[in-house]
Amino acid sequence: MNSKQIIRMNHKYVIDTYGKQRSLALVKGKGSRVWDADGNSYLDFLSGLAVNGLGHCHPKVVQALKKQAETLIHVSNLYYNEPQVLLAERLVRNSFASKCFFCNSGAEANEGAIKLARKWGHTVGNGIGIVTLKRSFHGRTIATITATGQEKFQRNFHPLVEGFKYAALNDLASIEAVLEDTDCAIMFELVQAEGGIHVATGDFVKGIRKLCDERNLLLILDEVQTGMGRTGRLFAYQHYGIKPDIITLAKSLAGGVPMGAMLAGPKVADIFQPGDHASTFGGNPLASAAALATVSVMTADGFLKNVRALSKYLFADIRKIAQRHGFVREVRGLGMLIGIEFDGPVKNAVSDCLKRGLIVGTAGENVMRLLPPLTATKKEIDEALAVIEAVLEKFENESAKT
Ligand SMILES: *Cc1c(COP(=O)(O)O)cnc(C)c1O
């Protein structure tokens, strides 16, 4: 099928929850590049929304999938499976965590974290209230849209879940202002991604850890987007010199295969008892094998160091380009999670990038979002920067005319 045919069938048979932001029908990917159904190629600096951290069809992931697909795809969690335990051990060995729970998406991982916090709150904590942040994003289930501090995701779906309240990023006083004796957790993203690429400060994160210790609260970090090497560390909390009680993962975890995980520290690792929570697909052999291959690549010598070097290179050049254009308000982010804020909508600039063969995204109206593959080369980064430079140039000329 060509692109037109695929798109026409999509509009006829698939419920349209994404709308006009989509224009490509993709059929093939390799490394940092994808091809559409008409044979055009694109440099993919959105990485399937941070899922293709290792680029498209990474050979180690493909190899692991092929081998596992020929051996055992699924058994359900009524039985044990080897890839799952190897993955759990690997994640524990490389983090603060004592134990893992596996599921299939970011929303589900957060749902698990919310349930775990509530059970902990009921049994050993003070209550079930959870503080999250304005501008956050935690997923699309009823509990996770409630946790998400953005009205636009919640309208049409009331009544929401009880017990959530919202404070502001990098504003400890706003957290203290909403905290009550009946709360059990504070949950947030270290980089608010969907909310516009806003990075938590060290003082804020350390302050929250202290607050959680003093008030007997769990610190839950949603690392669905920031985890798995995206920020230049395997997990973003490792930049901050603190240990959370729970983190949630998904996106890049299994190299493109749907998978989520909740990692629990010593305080909460044994709170769930048989029957409390479950997932039919969670941690099945196929997804676990893909994730194990992904984590192996990411924790191999020099991989994350190279991501940090690429990030430094990318940031320096983007900042230089941005300085030449008055409408760019700020460049911010961490590692390979980068936002370029304009003083108006970025929609046209994003579609201009696409016309020139570069896929980038948005984070809200005014922020262009870059999520390059962690495996991108300097040459690919240069290619992307040249497109961005040309697009900003054109954007400036056009805004000067109007
Ligand atoms: C993408 C994302 C989610 C939701 O993940 P899904 O797999 O779409 O359910 C939750 N939290 C953050 C921070 C995300 O970036």
Side-chain angles (χ1 to χ4, degrees):
M1 283 196 276
N2 63 30
S3 296
K4 229 188 192 149
Q5 292 166 321
I6 295 172
I7 291 165
R8 199 183 311 126
M9 273 185 84
N10 183 287
H11 287 156
K12 185 155 181 212
Y13 295 112
V14 181
I15 293 176
D16 191 9
T17 57
Y18 281 81
K20 289 203 175 55
Q21 57 181 300
R22 286 190 299 185
S23 55
L24 300 182
L26 298 172
V27 294
K28 195 175 91 175
K30 188 166 193 280
S32 305
R33 247 167 252 280
V34 286
W35 284 262
D36 71 14
D38 306 326
N40 304 303
S41 85
Y42 303 85
L43 186 58
D44 183 5
F45 269 36
L46 195 57
S47 298
L49 284 171
V51 169
N52 300 303
L54 296 181
H56 292 272
C57 301
H58 189 283
K60 287 271 164 58
V61 176
V62 171
Q63 192 188 18
L65 276 170
K66 276 186 175 164
K67 194 167 159 234
Q68 193 59 49
E70 285 169 347
T71 313
L72 186 67
I73 294 177
H74 179 81
V75 292
S76 93
N77 286 304
L78 298 176
Y79 310 95
Y80 300 103
N81 85 72
E82 183 175 317
Q84 185 185 115
V85 297
L86 292 175
L87 173 63
E89 186 230 16
R90 193 68 71 89
L91 290 170
V92 163
R93 192 146 41 84
N94 285 285
S95 74
F96 72 98
S98 309
K99 287 183 179 177
C100 308
F101 174 83
F102 295 108
C103 51
N104 313 288
S105 70
E108 237 186 298
N110 286 332
E111 193 81 29
I114 291 165
K115 281 180 70 178
L116 182 57
R118 276 197 173 186
K119 186 172 179 203
W120 179 83
H122 277 305
T123 50
V124 296
N126 317 317
I128 58 96
I130 297 179
V131 181
T132 66
L133 301 184
K134 294 167 191 157
R135 248 179 7 204
S136 59
F137 182 77
H138 298 296
R140 299 290 201 145
T141 63
I142 291 290
T144 57
I145 59 170
T146 309
T148 294
Q150 299 193 61
E151 218 278 318
K152 68 175 177 186
F153 294 109
Q154 301 173 340
R155 67 171 177 243
N156 300 328
F157 302 109
H158 289 262
L160 301 176
V161 174
E162 277 174 50
F164 286 86
K165 51 201 121 175
Y166 313 98
L169 179 74
N170 295 333
D171 182 353
L172 268 180
S174 79
I175 295 201
E176 296 196 59
V178 297
L179 262 184
E180 292 167 281
D181 291 340
T182 51
D183 290 332
C184 67
I186 301 174
M187 169 172 168
F188 65 104
E189 303 148 88
L190 289 168
V191 182
Q192 292 187 324
E194 196 63 39
I197 320 291
H198 298 279
V199 185
T201 62
D203 284 349
F204 179 71
V205 176
K206 288 200 182 83
I208 288 195
R209 180 68 271 179
K210 191 157 163 268
L211 204 57
C212 286
D213 293 339
E214 287 166 2
R215 308 273 290 254
N216 194 28
L217 300 162
L218 300 176
L219 172 50
I220 305 173
L221 296 175
D222 178 344
E223 292 235 35
V224 168
Q225 189 152 163
T226 58
M228 304 317 294
R230 179 50 55 189
T231 68
R233 305 267 172 208
L234 192 57
F235 307 112
Y237 80 83
Q238 293 165 331
H239 289 281
Y240 289 88
I242 55 107
K243 281 187 188 154
D245 297 297
I246 298 172
I247 66 172
T248 54
L249 302 172
K251 299 264 158 73
S252 265
L253 175 57
V257 176
M259 185 179 221
M262 173 179 67
L263 275 53
K267 207 161 158 183
V268 284
D270 296 312
I271 292 295
F272 274 162
Q273 293 299 307
D276 281 335
H277 197 46
S279 166
T280 300
F281 286 118
N284 91 359
L286 191 74
S288 297
L292 189 59
T294 304
V295 183
S296 301
V297 173
M298 287 181 178
T299 52
D301 247 8
F303 182 89
L304 291 167
K305 198 170 160 215
N306 185 55
V307 175
R308 294 193 290 274
L310 285 175
S311 161
K312 213 169 157 190
Y313 181 76
L314 188 51
F315 263 103
D317 273 22
I318 288 186
R319 288 221 160 90
K320 256 186 257 158
I321 294 170
Q323 271 165 14
R324 293 199 280 274
H325 301 285
F327 60 87
V328 177
R329 275 212 194 130
E330 199 181 11
V331 174
R332 37 174 203 262
L334 193 63
M336 297 283 253
L337 174 49
I338 298 158
I340 307 172
E341 183 174 344
F342 288 24
D343 62 12
V346 294
K347 214 170 59 195
N348 291 344
V350 168
S351 57
D352 273 350
C353 284
L354 190 62
K355 279 181 201 141
R356 293 163 194 253
L358 175 69
I359 299 177
V360 296
T362 58
E365 284 259 294
N366 296 353
V367 180
M368 184 187 277
R369 167 159 46 167
L370 304 185
L371 294 161
L374 309 181
T375 49
T377 61
K378 269 196 174 160
K379 197 158 158 258
E380 288 164 344
I381 287 177
D382 288 341
E383 189 185 328
L385 287 167
V387 173
I388 290 168
E389 166 104 81
V391 165
L392 295 192
E393 199 68 40
K394 175 167 172 264
F395 199 80
E396 179 130 287
N397 292 336
E398 276 167 8
S399 8
K401 267 184 252 155
T402 55

